[in-house]
Amino acid sequence: MPDDKKVIVALDMMDPVVARDMAKRLSGEVFAFKVGWPLILGSNADIVVDLSRYSKVICDLKLADIPDTNSWVTQKMRENGAWGIIAHAFVGGDSLEAVVKAAGNVKTIAVVAMSHPGSSLFINKKAKELVRVAAGAGAYGIIAPGNDIKMLKKVKKIAVGLKILSPGIGTQGGSASDAIASGADYVIVGRSVCNADDPKNEVKRINAAINTVLAQRNGPAT
Amino acid sequence: MPDDKKVIVALDMMDPVVARDMAKRLSGEVFAFKVGWPLILGSNADIVVDLSRYSKVICDLKLADIPDTNSWVTQKMRENGAWGIIAHAFVGGDSLEAVVKAAGNVKTIAVVAMSHPGSSLFINKKAKELVRVAAGAGAYGIIAPGNDIKMLKKVKKIAVGLKILSPGIGTQGGSASDAIASGADYVIVGRSVCNADDPKNEVKRINAAINTVLAQRNGPAT
């Protein structure tokens, strides 16, 4: 049976105790967890080892350095059991290739568009070229905003062979169903799950909504 | 007396013991130390506290995230005694302003150009615009390559009121004297100091070469 879980929960807290507790509660219901520098700094890189007991862990590092430095950081996260690493494509193919190479079996996911106002100045104008950089570097997937359907559809058209992971769902305005219907393979949800009265139920609700969209797309089972 | 030390030593190692030893040896001779994610991951953010005993510490994080995340990471490094934080300008003014705001008295230094081949694809083409983003966000300074004199001179012309910190010196091909003569305020040197037989003497030698350039520029003392 294919993995029908399409929700990645962003653990956007700094306290490792809170993060571990949330991961434990959501274990078995999510596709993966996403952790960033604030949580890693709130503890250390071992948090990735800990959280990997509950699901796959994607390290959202937004790496944007020279190839050597990108490589060293990726290597460390690989050693700690990360399933995926998020890096910027904006710094060029060589920096992204350094991540792919150091990552080995760990998935490299490249940022090609963002959703905050400042991203319209440079990054989002280059989204299509950034998808090509990601594909050229051998990335597994790309990050494209789930609350900007026009952008999502634009990158989907050319993101052949690349998985699309979409943040900006829930509190940030995007709808999981719309994002999936527009080409996202996975949705990344933070606050609207972690701040829910029943986070596990909220993930189930989002997954159910997504599976309705997928069932409509795929037609009736035969 | 003004601080006549113009050398920032990049502690590009992952081992905190080696980094602390080098910092101790170079204490009093450098303008600051630069540390990045590899060293922070090799220990934890407390390494910034430790190294601050020996000189100012610039955290080269190349932050490139949404405003909230940039802000959280900056706040953490500020609490740990960082003197400066390096962030990307290409993610836009709001993300950089979030760093400046969270940094308070800590200096924000924005990347406007890099020196690896991939940087020519997007970032370096936008260097002038990135300088304007840095100035607009209230940054203290910018990062521009010391081994690309043409680029350095180009950004110097418009970097009014911004300090210029230049990496790429030594092993990476740039000359400290040339960089300072072309507009850099400080040079960032890594391997050619840390791998020298006598690192302290190497820093002194670079500082002396820089001071010769500055003396020529300023004319004879009266």
Side-chain angles (χ1 to χ4, degrees):
Chain A
M1 196 180 99
D3 189 346
D4 64 347
K5 295 178 180 67
K6 303 295 180 189
V7 178
I8 296 164
V9 171
L11 298 174
D12 285 336
M13 56 281 281
M14 292 192 79
D15 186 336
V17 176
V18 177
R20 267 186 218 108
D21 179 60
M22 185 59 72
K24 201 171 173 182
R25 290 173 75 174
L26 298 178
S27 181
E29 297 299 333
V30 303
F31 174 75
F33 296 115
K34 183 171 85 69
V35 304
W37 286 123
L39 179 58
I40 292 168
L41 288 174
S43 46
N44 61 45
D46 293 343
I47 187 75
V48 179
V49 181
D50 288 356
L51 296 176
S52 293
R53 293 189 291 156
Y54 303 110
S55 184
K56 300 185 274 288
V57 176
I58 298 172
C59 295
D60 184 4
L61 308 179
K62 302 252 179 7
L63 291 178
D65 216 315
I66 58 171
D68 273 357
T69 308
N70 271 5
S71 180
W72 292 335
V73 176
T74 301
Q75 179 62 33
K76 177 74 180 172
M77 291 310 182
R78 179 184 175 179
E79 287 165 13
N80 280 31
W83 178 85
I85 307 267
I86 297 177
H88 269 292
F90 204 94
V91 279
D94 51 356
S95 286
L96 196 59
E97 277 163 25
V99 176
V100 172
K101 197 174 168 192
N105 291 329
V106 178
K107 316 296 186 191
T108 299
I109 302 150
V111 178
V112 302
M114 298 174 81
S115 60
H116 63 292
S119 60
S120 63
L121 200 57
F122 303 108
I123 293 194
N124 291 7
K125 284 180 184 164
K126 298 290 176 187
K128 282 188 169 183
E129 291 178 60
L130 295 170
V131 173
R132 287 184 204 107
V133 169
Y140 159 87
I142 56 174
I143 297 284
N147 52 355
D148 181 348
I149 295 297
K150 196 176 158 193
M151 173 63 81
L152 192 51
K153 288 182 173 173
K154 186 165 108 173
V155 301
K156 173 66 181 173
K157 277 187 194 163
I158 56 166
V160 181
L162 293 165
K163 296 285 183 189
I164 300 181
L165 286 67
S166 292
I169 305 298
T171 313
Q172 290 167 270
S175 138
S177 312
D178 289 351
I180 295 285
S182 306
D185 293 285
Y186 301 99
V187 294
I188 302 170
V189 192
R191 282 167 284 180
S192 55
V193 164
C194 296
N195 296 344
D197 288 336
D198 185 339
K200 193 168 178 172
N201 203 47
E202 180 62 12
V203 172
K204 284 185 176 177
R205 194 193 63 73
I206 299 169
N207 254 321
I210 290 172
N211 284 325
T212 301
V213 171
L214 292 175
Q216 284 167 355
R217 184 196 293 169
N218 298 334
T222 53
Chain B
M1 196 182 101
D3 188 346
D4 65 347
K5 295 177 179 66
K6 304 294 181 190
V7 179
I8 296 165
V9 172
L11 299 174
D12 285 335
M13 56 283 279
M14 290 193 80
D15 186 336
V17 176
V18 177
R20 267 185 219 108
D21 179 61
M22 185 58 72
K24 200 172 174 181
R25 289 172 76 175
L26 298 177
S27 182
E29 297 299 332
V30 303
F31 175 74
F33 296 115
K34 182 172 86 69
V35 304
W37 286 122
L39 180 57
I40 292 169
L41 287 176
S43 46
N44 59 45
D46 293 343
I47 188 74
V48 179
V49 180
D50 288 357
L51 296 175
S52 293
R53 292 188 291 153
Y54 303 109
S55 184
K56 300 184 274 286
V57 176
I58 298 172
C59 295
D60 183 5
L61 307 180
K62 302 252 180 2
L63 291 178
D65 216 315
I66 58 170
D68 274 356
T69 308
N70 272 3
S71 179
W72 291 335
V73 177
T74 301
Q75 178 62 33
K76 178 75 180 173
M77 292 309 183
R78 177 184 176 180
E79 287 166 12
N80 279 30
W83 178 85
I85 308 265
I86 297 178
H88 269 293
F90 78 74
V91 279
D94 50 357
S95 286
L96 196 59
E97 278 164 25
V99 176
V100 172
K101 197 174 170 191
N105 291 330
V106 178
K107 316 295 185 192
T108 299
I109 303 150
V111 178
V112 302
M114 298 175 81
S115 59
H116 63 293
S119 61
S120 63
L121 199 57
F122 303 109
I123 293 194
N124 291 6
K125 284 181 183 165
K126 297 291 176 187
K128 282 189 172 182
E129 290 177 58
L130 294 172
V131 173
R132 287 185 204 109
V133 168
Y140 160 85
I142 56 174
I143 298 284
N147 54 354
D148 181 349
I149 295 297
K150 196 177 158 193
M151 173 62 81
L152 193 50
K153 286 182 173 172
K154 186 165 108 173
V155 301
K156 174 67 181 173
K157 276 187 194 163
I158 56 167
V160 180
L162 293 165
K163 296 286 181 188
I164 300 181
L165 286 66
S166 291
I169 305 297
T171 314
Q172 292 167 268
S175 137
S177 311
D178 290 352
I180 295 285
S182 305
D185 294 284
Y186 301 99
V187 294
I188 302 170
V189 193
R191 283 167 285 181
S192 55
V193 165
C194 296
N195 296 345
D197 288 337
D198 185 340
K200 191 169 179 171
N201 202 47
E202 180 61 13
V203 173
K204 282 184 176 175
R205 194 193 64 72
I206 299 169
N207 253 323
I210 289 172
N211 284 325
T212 302
V213 172
L214 293 176
Q216 284 166 353
R217 182 197 295 170
N218 298 332
T222 51

